[in-house]
Amino acid sequence: MSKFPYFLIFILFLSFNCKAQEKKINLEKTYITDCNGKTIELVLPKNWDTPDRLEIDKGFIQTYIYPDKSYLSIMCGNSEFHKQKVVKENEFAREEKYNGFAIIYGNVKAERKEEFDNALNEMKTK
């Protein structure tokens, strides 16, 4: 019996495994105190700068800015986000509402869109 089919399966498995590792999404956990005073866990793309927090009526807006000028903001309170109206070619913005928060990202380049989407999707499952 030939060993070639086993060898071929091994090579295919190895190549798929290497490709899966290349697409690794870099997310990190951080914590934030919400409007009700509870501390909740956030999942964010890595490498954000120190967050900027703006206190608003019965809440806050906390923004994480990245070196490439993309951003992710979390709002809790009696205000509304205004979604990024002008999106340049190959840039993306998204807004989600869940668990009493509004979360929006913007200025996200095409190569980082999956990373930001995964962060928002993961937060929605918490």
Side-chain angles (χ1 to χ4, degrees):
M1 184 170 184
S2 173
K3 294 181 182 181
F4 182 73
Y6 296 109
F7 178 73
L8 184 60
I9 290 171
F10 174 75
I11 296 299
L12 287 172
F13 175 77
L14 187 60
S15 68
F16 284 125
N17 192 24
C18 290
K19 285 185 181 185
Q21 288 179 354
E22 288 175 14
K23 289 290 268 182
K24 184 178 179 185
I25 303 296
N26 292 317
L27 301 177
E28 66 180 318
K29 294 178 183 177
T30 189
Y31 297 89
I32 190 170
T33 301
D34 76 6
C35 294
N36 300 320
K38 296 182 296 182
T39 299
I40 59 168
E41 181 181 279
L42 299 176
V43 179
L44 302 173
K46 286 187 175 182
N47 300 325
W48 45 271
D49 293 330
T50 303
D52 180 33
R53 187 172 174 120
L54 173 66
E55 298 296 327
I56 58 173
D57 186 35
K58 297 181 183 175
F60 63 86
I61 299 173
Q62 188 153 322
T63 301
Y64 299 84
I65 300 173
Y66 294 82
D68 65 357
K69 305 299 182 217
S70 57
Y71 66 89
L72 187 142
S73 294
I74 297 152
M75 188 205 56
C76 183
N78 295 331
S79 288
E80 283 187 27
F81 272 132
H82 296 286
K83 187 174 178 183
Q84 182 178 347
K85 293 185 186 320
V86 178
V87 179
K88 298 175 188 170
E89 188 174 338
N90 294 322
E91 284 191 0
F92 298 88
R94 177 178 164 189
E95 180 179 1
E96 292 287 340
K97 293 183 181 184
Y98 46 88
N99 292 338
F101 287 92
I103 299 180
I104 188 168
Y105 70 63
N107 295 343
V108 175
K109 306 274 189 274
E111 59 270 7
R112 294 198 68 200
K113 182 181 184 307
E114 184 178 7
E115 184 178 4
F116 278 79
D117 283 340
N118 283 348
L120 263 62
N121 293 340
E122 185 147 334
M123 281 191 273
K124 286 173 65 171
T125 63
K126 298 225 173 267

